[in-house]
Amino acid sequence: VNWCIDCGSALAEAEVEYEDKTSPAIDVGFEVKNTASAQQLLSNAFGITLPADVQTYAIIWTTTPWTLPANQAVSDHPDFDYALVQTPRGLVILARELKQACLERYDLSGETLASCKGQALEHLPLQHPFEPRTVNIICGQHVTLEAGTGLVHTAPAHGLDDYFVGQQYGLSNESPVDGNGKFNANTPLVGELSVWKANDIVIDTLKTSGHLFCLKKIDHSYPHCWRHKTPIIFRATPQ
């Protein structure tokens, strides 16, 4: 639902207005798990043999860094072509049509080693960039090539498309954010912080760990509460 932090309640569509907002847009690398089974799945998908110690990142793009603690998966499109690209920062997985734009954004050079359909990457296990847990690549028809990387950070608690694809794969949709827009105390890294303060903490953590490939500020149209004129969030709630 559309949720206003100031109202502390859900909003109907008629109570939502759109205004310009500046948001941090980040590209984040989810590292493919360094296990024999994960590396074998990766090699099989692209049809090449990879060194056992190679670092490979599936890169996502998002304008809501604060939703990364709720990440449950990375979505690709089963019918899109994905490239495995050798770069100075390791191997990266990107949608083939967006590869060049992404590399320019990251200020990296790259050589495509192989390509495959998104379907071949389904269930590839990835390491969450700052929590000690595994998330998988899943397939979703909502993924587009309009912007980003062709791989979509998926948090079922904070997005409608994410919620529905999460239902298909049995992912948790429990929101770590309460009705006042603060993270539950037991949330790693950002517990008890507001979602807007969490943005900076998440970005700084990704910078330090080497998982941040790009950070830019973008101006875009964003939903606001008609009463408070403040930005709203998307939040899964029991009804």
Side-chain angles (χ1 to χ4, degrees):
V1 293
N2 298 306
W3 189 271
C4 174
I5 293 168
D6 295 298
C7 293
S9 70
L11 298 183
E13 289 295 331
E15 298 175 302
V16 175
E17 299 177 342
Y18 285 81
E19 298 178 22
D20 289 340
K21 179 179 182 293
T22 301
S23 298
I26 59 173
D27 292 74
V28 181
F30 281 63
E31 191 170 351
V32 176
K33 295 284 285 188
N34 190 21
T35 63
S37 58
Q39 296 300 319
Q40 189 61 54
L41 197 162
L42 184 66
S43 295
N44 290 346
F46 285 104
I48 59 175
T49 302
L50 297 168
D53 59 347
V54 68
Q55 281 189 313
T56 306
Y57 298 94
I59 303 183
I60 64 92
W61 178 82
T62 181
T63 58
T64 53
W66 66 267
T67 61
L68 281 167
N71 174 273
Q72 297 290 324
V74 170
S75 297
D76 71 7
H77 194 292
D79 302 325
F80 290 171
D81 292 312
Y82 289 85
L84 183 66
V85 187
Q86 177 76 63
T87 78
R89 290 186 64 172
L91 298 178
V92 299
I93 301 171
L94 300 163
R96 193 169 67 184
E97 286 189 35
L98 297 170
K99 180 199 75 170
Q100 197 54 45
C102 289
L103 292 177
E104 290 174 6
R105 194 159 70 238
Y106 311 152
D107 197 23
L108 289 175
S109 59
E111 176 193 356
T112 299
L113 302 182
S115 297
C116 73
K117 294 292 184 184
Q119 186 69 59
L121 297 170
E122 187 181 29
H123 304 307
L124 180 68
L126 310 172
Q127 178 64 46
H128 189 282
F130 53 80
E131 291 187 15
R133 56 190 177 88
T134 301
V135 299
N136 291 336
I137 290 183
I138 62 176
C139 294
Q141 297 291 329
H142 65 290
V143 179
T144 73
L145 297 173
E146 291 176 8
T149 66
L151 293 160
V152 177
H153 145 57
T154 302
H158 298 298
L160 201 55
D161 289 329
D162 300 27
Y163 179 86
F164 286 124
V165 75
Q167 293 284 292
Q168 295 173 26
Y169 283 87
L171 302 180
S172 170
N173 55 39
E174 185 175 350
S175 174
V177 177
D178 68 18
N180 296 316
K182 291 188 175 182
F183 282 92
N184 300 330
N186 61 354
T187 307
L189 190 66
V190 293
E192 299 186 333
L193 291 178
S194 75
V195 293
W196 310 124
K197 287 184 179 178
N199 269 343
D200 292 334
I201 301 297
V202 167
I203 291 169
D204 287 343
T205 300
L206 294 170
K207 280 181 185 174
T208 302
S209 66
H211 292 88
L212 187 67
F213 278 73
C214 186
L215 166 63
K216 291 183 181 295
K217 297 287 187 181
I218 65 164
D219 296 318
H220 60 149
S221 179
Y222 190 88
H224 286 61
C225 172
W226 71 335
R227 293 186 188 88
H228 295 95
K229 310 302 181 185
T230 51
I232 67 170
I233 63 173
F234 297 97
R235 177 171 173 262
T237 64
Q239 298 291 312

